[in-house]
Amino acid sequence: MPVNRQSLKALWTRVANPAWLCFVWFGMTAGISLLEAPVKFTAPTITREIALDVGRVVFSALNQAEVIALILLLILVRISGIARQWWMVIAPLALIVIAQSVWLLPELSERSQQIIAGIEPGPSFAHGAYAVLELAKLSLLLILGFCCMPKPQAP
């Protein structure tokens, strides 16, 4: 089946639209942050230390995937021509990912390592800050995703 220019253009238009990436990123993050992380601590055979160690590894992998998703989103937003229109959503999203990458995840990972080593660290607001930023990030992804969806064409 030969591929014509019109079908290639239609495919490119769909791929270049950032909405799909926003929804994939949302699903990935929500699945881990809102489902996997809390449920893991309810498993009766997993100790707190094991749950913390697994969480540290899973959130590190999630963060790496989110950095890649952010880079890809920035590229898609730029090539789709909506960068100026949506910079007030994209900039906070980028700042959240950066804050989680360079500040919160390293701090939470260190706290997990201390608990695994038998040291109970003092109080910290890092976990609460991470949770608030995670909810803000999920909200921004939904806003951007729905706003970038193509508008239905009138018949």
Side-chain angles (χ1 to χ4, degrees):
M1 177 179 202
V3 178
N4 62 32
R5 282 189 169 170
Q6 188 174 2
S7 62
L8 282 176
K9 185 178 180 184
L11 176 63
W12 175 250
T13 301
R14 288 184 184 103
V15 171
N17 186 313
W20 71 268
L21 181 59
C22 291
F23 294 129
V24 168
W25 185 354
F26 175 89
M28 176 178 62
T29 301
I32 290 174
S33 296
L34 303 178
L35 185 62
E36 182 274 338
V39 168
K40 154 180 70 221
F41 286 96
T42 65
T45 58
I46 295 180
T47 64
R48 179 180 180 211
E49 291 77 13
I50 291 173
L52 287 170
D53 198 32
V54 169
R56 184 181 56 77
V57 172
V58 168
F59 275 91
S60 175
L62 173 64
N63 181 253
Q64 291 171 4
E66 286 186 318
V67 168
I68 292 168
L70 175 62
I71 292 166
L72 187 54
L73 181 65
L74 292 170
I75 292 168
L76 289 179
V77 164
R78 178 69 177 113
I79 65 174
S80 67
I82 63 168
R84 288 188 179 164
Q85 180 182 356
W86 290 105
W87 72 269
M88 297 239 346
V89 173
I90 297 161
L93 186 60
L95 290 174
I96 289 169
V97 172
I98 292 167
Q100 289 177 328
S101 299
V102 299
W103 167 45
L104 292 167
L105 279 174
E107 184 173 330
L108 291 170
S109 180
E110 177 60 32
R111 290 178 62 79
S112 294
Q113 293 289 35
Q114 289 175 349
I115 293 169
I116 291 167
I119 303 165
E120 196 61 40
S124 168
F125 68 92
H127 196 265
Y130 189 91
V132 168
L133 290 178
E134 199 74 342
L135 291 174
K137 177 173 49 181
L138 289 170
S139 299
L140 291 168
L141 286 168
L142 283 180
I143 290 167
L144 185 61
F146 279 115
C147 289
C148 288
M149 287 180 63
K151 308 299 180 247
Q153 301 294 324

